[in-house]
Amino acid sequence: MSIAPVIRLTLFGPTHAKDATLLQAQELGCLHIEPLDRREDVVADRPQARRALAFLLASPVRRHAAHSAERFDAEAVEAAALRIEARLRALDEEKRTLIKRLRVLAPWGDYPLDPDLLARGLRLWFYVLPHWRLAQMPEYLTAWKVVAHDQRNCWVAVVHPDEPHDMPVPREHTGSVALHALQHRLHDLDAEHDDLLAERIALTRWCDALAHSLTRLEDQAERKRAAGLTREVDGLFALSAWAPAAALPDLQAMAGRIGLAMVTHRAPPAELPPTWLDNSGIARSGQNLLGIFLTPGYRSWDPSTWVLVSFVVFFGMVMADAGYALVMLFVLLALRLRRRPAAGEAPGAAGVWPLAWLLAASTGAWGLGTGTWFGSALPASHPMAALRLLDGTDFRLMMRLSLLIGVLHLTLASLAQARLARGWSRIAAAGWSAVLAGGGLAGFSIDQGWGDGLRWTGQSLLGAGLLAALTAAVMQGRGLGGRAAALLAGLMRLPAALGDTLSYLRLFALGFAGASLATAFNDLARQTLHGVPGFGVLLAGLLLLLGHTLNLVLGIAGGLVHGLRLNFIEFLNWSGVEEGRPFKPFKLKDAPPWMHRSR
């Protein structure tokens, strides 16, 4: 199991030592800080330096970079850029609203409120009426005028003490601000907008200096956020966090240097600690894959290695072409030679590269096993034809192989769940693993001359496993109604098991589709070569290049999507992996976490 054990700790110390504590804890990089004081203005704060830099870099006009950073204040530049960005966004929003208001008020013209009308208790009311409704104006309204019109409507202004309630249409809400005042406000917004753009252009001289200060600014922002998660009372502060149990000596040494008190305890059963997956080497690629979908619970198990192995196998089975594998290896090698290691990257850090090499190798292995090179089978006389173990065009064989892989995958998942479960839950998981294995054996024994014994074994496993699983489900229910519902749920899982197993036929379907498409492009190129004299060679080459490029891209997309789907949906559904929350180490931006540095 690669889930590192963690402990809960609380650090206590004088308030003046809080900054030093946070700085050294960030350098150590092994704490997952839990909030003690939720001040939303601090907790919601996140590093904004990259956003400020992106805003300045997006300026259409930029100044020459400053050669000296003596007058450069990174915090001030960041704050100014974010202030300008926020104000520009607010100005644009207000300007859009003003333009809409001006468009509505334009037909009425500029009608300031007349003090004489107000003194006599009169008001202006505005209506937009179709031409044919003018005849429906109430007779008691004598002070009204059509101030504008078009082919369909008339804009009518009415003078009356109260709002007329028998008008043929509802009144228009024009607001209390006159047209000229809105126009003046729009001009003010434009002027302020120009001033802000000029200020933004002036700040662009510090883009290079700000880029070099990103890491420091983000570390400072992270410490500010962490400070908001602590609690201060009477000159003392407290910091609560989770940490790997192996990091306890380093934390005790840090507390001794600063003069802090530290209290530690194990997590109670009712509390869910964050999960720190402690995988190293190539297994970290599986951890990264699993992180796309979920983080396993702290008291669950880590399926990272299983997900990695099965995903690589599934991807290779979908591609299954040695020629495509060579192309993938060539592209990966070219990209790898051009790539520079990232700052702070740990040696052997598992990113996309180890996984990419494995996927290319799996594609090549399946391609050699089926004897397929760019959609064509090697002739029997070719020396590498001896490596061919499977006939990729044999429907029956490849379908059975896909179902066999599905049965093994789901059975292993159910056995892993049984290993960690307790009581009746363990019996239920073991029963379903027997159901899956027995159903697979019974199914594969059909139409086999030697399948009588295999069929009997499979049917026995299927029956015994189903009995055990349903019995365990009934025993876990409460009361007669609860046990009946549990029995029904168990029976409903039987067709789900069949459906999940049949889902692995997508491996056969995708592989066959890719092989058929490659063969079709080969045949089309061959016909073009023989049917078009002169330019046939060029056209055939273009068809092969474009066709196989398209097929390679589609195959990679299908292998990635469906290879992950079979792991995330089918496998994790039967494995009993509970979802947890990730361990987020409080660390320096470009430094690896403590667990990876300690190796």
mmCIF file of all heavy atoms in Angstrom, residues 18-19 22-23 26 33 37 39-48 75 78-79 82 216-230 232 239 586-587:
data_model
loop_
_atom_site.group_PDB
_atom_site.id
_atom_site.type_symbol
_atom_site.label_atom_id
_atom_site.label_comp_id
_atom_site.label_asym_id
_atom_site.label_seq_id
_atom_site.Cartn_x
_atom_site.Cartn_y
_atom_site.Cartn_z
ATOM 1 N N LYS A 18 5.295 33.600 14.354
ATOM 2 C CA LYS A 18 4.446 32.955 13.346
ATOM 3 C C LYS A 18 5.053 33.053 11.951
ATOM 4 O O LYS A 18 5.045 32.072 11.195
ATOM 5 C CB LYS A 18 3.049 33.583 13.364
ATOM 6 C CG LYS A 18 2.099 32.901 12.387
ATOM 7 C CD LYS A 18 0.661 33.345 12.576
ATOM 8 C CE LYS A 18 0.452 34.738 12.066
ATOM 9 N NZ LYS A 18 -0.988 35.095 12.042
ATOM 10 N N ASP A 19 5.593 34.219 11.604
ATOM 11 C CA ASP A 19 6.157 34.358 10.262
ATOM 12 C C ASP A 19 7.331 33.408 10.054
ATOM 13 O O ASP A 19 7.458 32.778 8.994
ATOM 14 C CB ASP A 19 6.598 35.806 10.034
ATOM 15 C CG ASP A 19 5.417 36.765 9.955
ATOM 16 O OD1 ASP A 19 4.293 36.284 9.700
ATOM 17 O OD2 ASP A 19 5.616 37.974 10.159
ATOM 18 N N LEU A 22 5.958 29.836 9.596
ATOM 19 C CA LEU A 22 5.392 29.587 8.271
ATOM 20 C C LEU A 22 6.491 29.483 7.214
ATOM 21 O O LEU A 22 6.404 28.660 6.298
ATOM 22 C CB LEU A 22 4.407 30.691 7.908
ATOM 23 C CG LEU A 22 3.115 30.732 8.736
ATOM 24 C CD1 LEU A 22 2.275 31.944 8.368
ATOM 25 C CD2 LEU A 22 2.309 29.450 8.540
ATOM 26 N N LEU A 23 7.521 30.320 7.333
ATOM 27 C CA LEU A 23 8.609 30.276 6.359
ATOM 28 C C LEU A 23 9.344 28.942 6.414
ATOM 29 O O LEU A 23 9.592 28.309 5.377
ATOM 30 C CB LEU A 23 9.570 31.437 6.611
ATOM 31 C CG LEU A 23 10.778 31.512 5.671
ATOM 32 C CD1 LEU A 23 10.326 31.651 4.224
ATOM 33 C CD2 LEU A 23 11.696 32.662 6.071
ATOM 34 N N GLN A 26 7.148 26.133 5.168
ATOM 35 C CA GLN A 26 7.062 26.139 3.710
ATOM 36 C C GLN A 26 8.328 25.564 3.089
ATOM 37 O O GLN A 26 8.272 24.848 2.081
ATOM 38 C CB GLN A 26 6.818 27.567 3.224
ATOM 39 C CG GLN A 26 6.421 27.661 1.765
ATOM 40 C CD GLN A 26 6.120 29.084 1.358
ATOM 41 O OE1 GLN A 26 6.703 30.040 1.888
ATOM 42 N NE2 GLN A 26 5.211 29.258 0.407
ATOM 43 N N ILE A 33 -2.059 22.128 5.870
ATOM 44 C CA ILE A 33 -2.597 22.992 6.921
ATOM 45 C C ILE A 33 -4.113 22.954 6.884
ATOM 46 O O ILE A 33 -4.739 23.080 5.829
ATOM 47 C CB ILE A 33 -2.080 24.428 6.742
ATOM 48 C CG1 ILE A 33 -0.550 24.436 6.825
ATOM 49 C CG2 ILE A 33 -2.687 25.352 7.783
ATOM 50 C CD1 ILE A 33 0.059 25.811 6.646
ATOM 51 N N ASP A 37 -8.998 29.409 11.820
ATOM 52 C CA ASP A 37 -9.715 30.676 11.847
ATOM 53 C C ASP A 37 -10.051 31.043 10.412
ATOM 54 O O ASP A 37 -9.172 31.418 9.639
ATOM 55 C CB ASP A 37 -8.840 31.763 12.484
ATOM 56 C CG ASP A 37 -9.632 33.036 12.753
ATOM 57 O OD1 ASP A 37 -10.842 33.035 12.470
ATOM 58 O OD2 ASP A 37 -9.049 34.006 13.248
ATOM 59 N N ARG A 39 -11.046 33.386 8.173
ATOM 60 C CA ARG A 39 -11.281 34.770 7.751
ATOM 61 C C ARG A 39 -11.316 34.760 6.240
ATOM 62 O O ARG A 39 -10.293 34.579 5.575
ATOM 63 C CB ARG A 39 -10.162 35.684 8.265
ATOM 64 C CG ARG A 39 -10.198 35.880 9.770
ATOM 65 C CD ARG A 39 -9.061 36.767 10.210
ATOM 66 N NE ARG A 39 -7.777 36.096 10.019
ATOM 67 C CZ ARG A 39 -6.610 36.714 10.158
ATOM 68 N NH1 ARG A 39 -6.568 37.996 10.433
ATOM 69 N NH2 ARG A 39 -5.491 36.053 9.989
ATOM 70 N N GLU A 40 -12.486 34.958 5.690
ATOM 71 C CA GLU A 40 -12.693 34.741 4.268
ATOM 72 C C GLU A 40 -11.824 35.640 3.401
ATOM 73 O O GLU A 40 -11.416 35.255 2.313
ATOM 74 C CB GLU A 40 -14.173 34.966 3.916
ATOM 75 C CG GLU A 40 -15.099 33.941 4.550
ATOM 76 C CD GLU A 40 -14.794 32.531 4.076
ATOM 77 O OE1 GLU A 40 -14.294 32.367 2.953
ATOM 78 O OE2 GLU A 40 -15.033 31.588 4.843
ATOM 79 N N ASP A 41 -11.518 36.855 3.880
ATOM 80 C CA ASP A 41 -10.716 37.744 3.049
ATOM 81 C C ASP A 41 -9.302 37.222 2.872
ATOM 82 O O ASP A 41 -8.633 37.513 1.885
ATOM 83 C CB ASP A 41 -10.676 39.146 3.672
ATOM 84 C CG ASP A 41 -10.114 39.123 5.097
ATOM 85 O OD1 ASP A 41 -10.288 38.095 5.778
ATOM 86 O OD2 ASP A 41 -9.511 40.133 5.503
ATOM 87 N N VAL A 42 -8.835 36.409 3.824
ATOM 88 C CA VAL A 42 -7.492 35.853 3.725
ATOM 89 C C VAL A 42 -7.528 34.464 3.120
ATOM 90 O O VAL A 42 -6.730 34.116 2.260
ATOM 91 C CB VAL A 42 -6.822 35.823 5.119
ATOM 92 C CG1 VAL A 42 -5.445 35.180 5.033
ATOM 93 C CG2 VAL A 42 -6.706 37.235 5.672
ATOM 94 N N VAL A 43 -8.492 33.643 3.569
ATOM 95 C CA VAL A 43 -8.563 32.276 3.079
ATOM 96 C C VAL A 43 -8.817 32.249 1.575
ATOM 97 O O VAL A 43 -8.280 31.412 0.853
ATOM 98 C CB VAL A 43 -9.669 31.508 3.833
ATOM 99 C CG1 VAL A 43 -9.824 30.110 3.268
ATOM 100 C CG2 VAL A 43 -9.329 31.441 5.321
ATOM 101 N N ALA A 44 -9.645 33.168 1.077
ATOM 102 C CA ALA A 44 -9.969 33.172 -0.344
ATOM 103 C C ALA A 44 -8.838 33.725 -1.196
ATOM 104 O O ALA A 44 -8.883 33.656 -2.412
ATOM 105 C CB ALA A 44 -11.240 33.986 -0.581
ATOM 106 N N ASP A 45 -7.801 34.329 -0.533
ATOM 107 C CA ASP A 45 -6.711 34.909 -1.297
ATOM 108 C C ASP A 45 -5.873 33.814 -1.940
ATOM 109 O O ASP A 45 -5.549 32.816 -1.312
ATOM 110 C CB ASP A 45 -5.840 35.764 -0.369
ATOM 111 C CG ASP A 45 -4.796 36.538 -1.137
ATOM 112 O OD1 ASP A 45 -5.021 36.780 -2.327
ATOM 113 O OD2 ASP A 45 -3.767 36.894 -0.535
ATOM 114 N N ARG A 46 -5.520 33.997 -3.178
ATOM 115 C CA ARG A 46 -4.698 33.045 -3.909
ATOM 116 C C ARG A 46 -3.610 33.819 -4.645
ATOM 117 O O ARG A 46 -3.752 35.011 -4.923
ATOM 118 C CB ARG A 46 -5.544 32.252 -4.913
ATOM 119 C CG ARG A 46 -6.467 31.235 -4.270
ATOM 120 C CD ARG A 46 -5.681 30.105 -3.605
ATOM 121 N NE ARG A 46 -6.544 29.064 -3.076
ATOM 122 C CZ ARG A 46 -7.066 29.064 -1.874
ATOM 123 N NH1 ARG A 46 -6.854 30.080 -1.064
ATOM 124 N NH2 ARG A 46 -7.832 28.070 -1.462
ATOM 125 N N PRO A 47 -2.501 33.168 -4.967
ATOM 126 C CA PRO A 47 -1.446 33.871 -5.695
ATOM 127 C C PRO A 47 -1.976 34.485 -6.994
ATOM 128 O O PRO A 47 -2.621 33.817 -7.798
ATOM 129 C CB PRO A 47 -0.427 32.753 -5.970
ATOM 130 C CG PRO A 47 -0.647 31.750 -4.879
ATOM 131 C CD PRO A 47 -2.118 31.796 -4.609
ATOM 132 N N GLN A 48 -1.693 35.777 -7.186
ATOM 133 C CA GLN A 48 -2.198 36.508 -8.341
ATOM 134 C C GLN A 48 -1.076 37.050 -9.215
ATOM 135 O O GLN A 48 -1.342 37.808 -10.154
ATOM 136 C CB GLN A 48 -3.072 37.678 -7.871
ATOM 137 C CG GLN A 48 -4.271 37.278 -7.044
ATOM 138 C CD GLN A 48 -5.341 36.622 -7.885
ATOM 139 O OE1 GLN A 48 -5.488 36.908 -9.065
ATOM 140 N NE2 GLN A 48 -6.091 35.710 -7.291
ATOM 141 N N GLU A 75 5.857 43.764 -5.344
ATOM 142 C CA GLU A 75 4.535 43.785 -4.737
ATOM 143 C C GLU A 75 3.718 44.973 -5.240
ATOM 144 O O GLU A 75 2.511 44.839 -5.516
ATOM 145 C CB GLU A 75 4.650 43.843 -3.207
ATOM 146 C CG GLU A 75 5.190 42.579 -2.569
ATOM 147 C CD GLU A 75 6.705 42.486 -2.642
ATOM 148 O OE1 GLU A 75 7.336 43.417 -3.191
ATOM 149 O OE2 GLU A 75 7.257 41.477 -2.164
ATOM 150 N N GLU A 78 2.636 44.321 -8.886
ATOM 151 C CA GLU A 78 1.557 43.327 -8.918
ATOM 152 C C GLU A 78 0.233 43.957 -8.484
ATOM 153 O O GLU A 78 -0.800 43.776 -9.147
ATOM 154 C CB GLU A 78 1.897 42.154 -8.001
ATOM 155 C CG GLU A 78 0.794 41.120 -7.901
ATOM 156 C CD GLU A 78 1.057 40.102 -6.811
ATOM 157 O OE1 GLU A 78 2.087 40.197 -6.124
ATOM 158 O OE2 GLU A 78 0.216 39.196 -6.631
ATOM 159 N N ALA A 79 0.255 44.701 -7.374
ATOM 160 C CA ALA A 79 -0.977 45.328 -6.880
ATOM 161 C C ALA A 79 -1.525 46.343 -7.887
ATOM 162 O O ALA A 79 -2.739 46.411 -8.119
ATOM 163 C CB ALA A 79 -0.712 46.005 -5.533
ATOM 164 N N LEU A 82 -3.125 44.484 -10.909
ATOM 165 C CA LEU A 82 -4.415 43.892 -10.562
ATOM 166 C C LEU A 82 -5.476 44.968 -10.353
ATOM 167 O O LEU A 82 -6.646 44.778 -10.703
ATOM 168 C CB LEU A 82 -4.266 43.030 -9.302
ATOM 169 C CG LEU A 82 -3.374 41.790 -9.441
ATOM 170 C CD1 LEU A 82 -3.213 41.104 -8.099
ATOM 171 C CD2 LEU A 82 -3.957 40.833 -10.461
ATOM 172 N N ARG A 216 8.776 34.055 -5.965
ATOM 173 C CA ARG A 216 8.809 34.695 -4.645
ATOM 174 C C ARG A 216 7.446 35.275 -4.290
ATOM 175 O O ARG A 216 6.984 35.148 -3.144
ATOM 176 C CB ARG A 216 9.882 35.788 -4.636
ATOM 177 C CG ARG A 216 9.995 36.522 -3.302
ATOM 178 C CD ARG A 216 11.148 37.487 -3.335
ATOM 179 N NE ARG A 216 10.993 38.505 -4.360
ATOM 180 C CZ ARG A 216 10.287 39.619 -4.193
ATOM 181 N NH1 ARG A 216 9.658 39.847 -3.039
ATOM 182 N NH2 ARG A 216 10.207 40.513 -5.163
ATOM 183 N N LEU A 217 6.773 35.904 -5.243
ATOM 184 C CA LEU A 217 5.466 36.494 -4.969
ATOM 185 C C LEU A 217 4.436 35.420 -4.649
ATOM 186 O O LEU A 217 3.601 35.584 -3.746
ATOM 187 C CB LEU A 217 5.008 37.319 -6.168
ATOM 188 C CG LEU A 217 5.785 38.604 -6.451
ATOM 189 C CD1 LEU A 217 5.338 39.222 -7.762
ATOM 190 C CD2 LEU A 217 5.618 39.597 -5.311
ATOM 191 N N GLU A 218 4.476 34.324 -5.381
ATOM 192 C CA GLU A 218 3.518 33.254 -5.116
ATOM 193 C C GLU A 218 3.782 32.596 -3.768
ATOM 194 O O GLU A 218 2.841 32.228 -3.057
ATOM 195 C CB GLU A 218 3.576 32.225 -6.240
ATOM 196 C CG GLU A 218 3.009 32.750 -7.555
ATOM 197 C CD GLU A 218 3.116 31.743 -8.675
ATOM 198 O OE1 GLU A 218 3.952 30.814 -8.568
ATOM 199 O OE2 GLU A 218 2.368 31.867 -9.663
ATOM 200 N N ASP A 219 5.042 32.455 -3.404
ATOM 201 C CA ASP A 219 5.359 31.910 -2.076
ATOM 202 C C ASP A 219 4.875 32.847 -0.978
ATOM 203 O O ASP A 219 4.343 32.403 0.055
ATOM 204 C CB ASP A 219 6.866 31.675 -1.951
ATOM 205 C CG ASP A 219 7.348 30.512 -2.805
ATOM 206 O OD1 ASP A 219 6.505 29.652 -3.155
ATOM 207 O OD2 ASP A 219 8.552 30.462 -3.132
ATOM 208 N N GLN A 220 5.043 34.151 -1.182
ATOM 209 C CA GLN A 220 4.550 35.105 -0.195
ATOM 210 C C GLN A 220 3.028 35.050 -0.070
ATOM 211 O O GLN A 220 2.481 35.077 1.037
ATOM 212 C CB GLN A 220 4.985 36.524 -0.583
ATOM 213 C CG GLN A 220 6.460 36.806 -0.405
ATOM 214 C CD GLN A 220 6.833 38.209 -0.840
ATOM 215 O OE1 GLN A 220 6.000 38.944 -1.366
ATOM 216 N NE2 GLN A 220 8.085 38.581 -0.635
ATOM 217 N N ALA A 221 2.350 34.959 -1.214
ATOM 218 C CA ALA A 221 0.890 34.877 -1.176
ATOM 219 C C ALA A 221 0.431 33.602 -0.487
ATOM 220 O O ALA A 221 -0.571 33.603 0.240
ATOM 221 C CB ALA A 221 0.330 34.945 -2.596
ATOM 222 N N GLU A 222 1.152 32.516 -0.696
ATOM 223 C CA GLU A 222 0.776 31.259 -0.052
ATOM 224 C C GLU A 222 0.989 31.334 1.454
ATOM 225 O O GLU A 222 0.198 30.802 2.239
ATOM 226 C CB GLU A 222 1.598 30.114 -0.656
ATOM 227 C CG GLU A 222 1.051 28.730 -0.379
ATOM 228 C CD GLU A 222 -0.330 28.524 -0.954
ATOM 229 O OE1 GLU A 222 -0.659 29.146 -1.988
ATOM 230 O OE2 GLU A 222 -1.100 27.743 -0.355
ATOM 231 N N ARG A 223 2.061 32.012 1.879
ATOM 232 C CA ARG A 223 2.261 32.189 3.324
ATOM 233 C C ARG A 223 1.175 33.086 3.921
ATOM 234 O O ARG A 223 0.720 32.855 5.050
ATOM 235 C CB ARG A 223 3.645 32.786 3.599
ATOM 236 C CG ARG A 223 4.783 31.803 3.419
ATOM 237 C CD ARG A 223 6.062 32.307 4.061
ATOM 238 N NE ARG A 223 6.561 33.523 3.456
ATOM 239 C CZ ARG A 223 7.356 33.567 2.392
ATOM 240 N NH1 ARG A 223 7.729 32.427 1.800
ATOM 241 N NH2 ARG A 223 7.774 34.712 1.905
ATOM 242 N N LYS A 224 0.761 34.098 3.179
ATOM 243 C CA LYS A 224 -0.324 34.962 3.664
ATOM 244 C C LYS A 224 -1.611 34.164 3.810
ATOM 245 O O LYS A 224 -2.347 34.327 4.788
ATOM 246 C CB LYS A 224 -0.517 36.116 2.688
ATOM 247 C CG LYS A 224 -1.623 37.084 3.090
ATOM 248 C CD LYS A 224 -1.769 38.195 2.073
ATOM 249 C CE LYS A 224 -2.920 39.130 2.443
ATOM 250 N NZ LYS A 224 -3.121 40.197 1.433
ATOM 251 N N ARG A 225 -1.886 33.289 2.830
ATOM 252 C CA ARG A 225 -3.086 32.453 2.922
ATOM 253 C C ARG A 225 -2.990 31.507 4.117
ATOM 254 O O ARG A 225 -3.962 31.315 4.855
ATOM 255 C CB ARG A 225 -3.262 31.652 1.640
ATOM 256 C CG ARG A 225 -4.561 30.875 1.565
ATOM 257 C CD ARG A 225 -4.574 29.918 0.408
ATOM 258 N NE ARG A 225 -3.650 28.829 0.623
ATOM 259 C CZ ARG A 225 -3.964 27.728 1.307
ATOM 260 N NH1 ARG A 225 -5.153 27.581 1.837
ATOM 261 N NH2 ARG A 225 -3.069 26.778 1.477
ATOM 262 N N ALA A 226 -1.810 30.906 4.323
ATOM 263 C CA ALA A 226 -1.638 30.001 5.459
ATOM 264 C C ALA A 226 -1.778 30.736 6.785
ATOM 265 O O ALA A 226 -2.317 30.194 7.758
ATOM 266 C CB ALA A 226 -0.273 29.326 5.369
ATOM 267 N N ALA A 227 -1.296 31.988 6.836
ATOM 268 C CA ALA A 227 -1.438 32.759 8.074
ATOM 269 C C ALA A 227 -2.904 32.979 8.413
ATOM 270 O O ALA A 227 -3.282 33.035 9.592
ATOM 271 C CB ALA A 227 -0.715 34.101 7.934
ATOM 272 N N GLY A 228 -3.750 33.089 7.390
ATOM 273 C CA GLY A 228 -5.172 33.253 7.644
ATOM 274 C C GLY A 228 -5.843 32.003 8.165
ATOM 275 O O GLY A 228 -6.982 32.064 8.642
ATOM 276 N N LEU A 229 -5.170 30.857 8.078
ATOM 277 C CA LEU A 229 -5.729 29.608 8.576
ATOM 278 C C LEU A 229 -5.340 29.328 10.018
ATOM 279 O O LEU A 229 -5.798 28.346 10.609
ATOM 280 C CB LEU A 229 -5.266 28.438 7.693
ATOM 281 C CG LEU A 229 -5.612 28.546 6.206
ATOM 282 C CD1 LEU A 229 -5.064 27.347 5.446
ATOM 283 C CD2 LEU A 229 -7.109 28.644 6.001
ATOM 284 N N THR A 230 -4.470 30.161 10.592
ATOM 285 C CA THR A 230 -4.065 29.989 11.986
ATOM 286 C C THR A 230 -5.026 30.743 12.904
ATOM 287 O O THR A 230 -5.923 31.455 12.451
ATOM 288 C CB THR A 230 -2.631 30.499 12.195
ATOM 289 O OG1 THR A 230 -2.591 31.905 11.921
ATOM 290 C CG2 THR A 230 -1.663 29.786 11.256
ATOM 291 N N GLU A 232 -5.019 33.244 16.506
ATOM 292 C CA GLU A 232 -4.231 34.019 17.465
ATOM 293 C C GLU A 232 -5.089 34.385 18.666
ATOM 294 O O GLU A 232 -6.193 34.901 18.506
ATOM 295 C CB GLU A 232 -3.686 35.292 16.805
ATOM 296 C CG GLU A 232 -2.725 35.032 15.660
ATOM 297 C CD GLU A 232 -2.175 36.328 15.086
ATOM 298 O OE1 GLU A 232 -2.360 37.385 15.740
ATOM 299 O OE2 GLU A 232 -1.579 36.297 14.001
ATOM 300 N N LEU A 239 -1.289 26.591 14.958
ATOM 301 C CA LEU A 239 -1.344 26.118 13.573
ATOM 302 C C LEU A 239 -1.631 24.625 13.596
ATOM 303 O O LEU A 239 -0.890 23.855 14.217
ATOM 304 C CB LEU A 239 -0.027 26.409 12.857
ATOM 305 C CG LEU A 239 0.062 26.060 11.366
ATOM 306 C CD1 LEU A 239 1.012 27.014 10.649
ATOM 307 C CD2 LEU A 239 0.558 24.625 11.157
ATOM 308 N N PHE A 586 2.075 22.333 2.015
ATOM 309 C CA PHE A 586 2.418 23.750 2.070
ATOM 310 C C PHE A 586 3.922 23.846 1.849
ATOM 311 O O PHE A 586 4.715 23.539 2.734
ATOM 312 C CB PHE A 586 2.010 24.315 3.437
ATOM 313 C CG PHE A 586 2.476 25.718 3.694
ATOM 314 C CD1 PHE A 586 2.058 26.759 2.891
ATOM 315 C CD2 PHE A 586 3.325 26.002 4.757
ATOM 316 C CE1 PHE A 586 2.478 28.057 3.129
ATOM 317 C CE2 PHE A 586 3.751 27.287 5.006
ATOM 318 C CZ PHE A 586 3.328 28.315 4.189
ATOM 319 N N LYS A 587 4.298 24.263 0.633
ATOM 320 C CA LYS A 587 5.710 24.204 0.254
ATOM 321 C C LYS A 587 6.045 25.366 -0.668
ATOM 322 O O LYS A 587 5.165 26.076 -1.165
ATOM 323 C CB LYS A 587 6.010 22.887 -0.453
ATOM 324 C CG LYS A 587 5.329 22.719 -1.800
ATOM 325 C CD LYS A 587 5.671 21.390 -2.433
ATOM 326 C CE LYS A 587 5.089 21.297 -3.842
ATOM 327 N NZ LYS A 587 5.759 22.255 -4.755
#
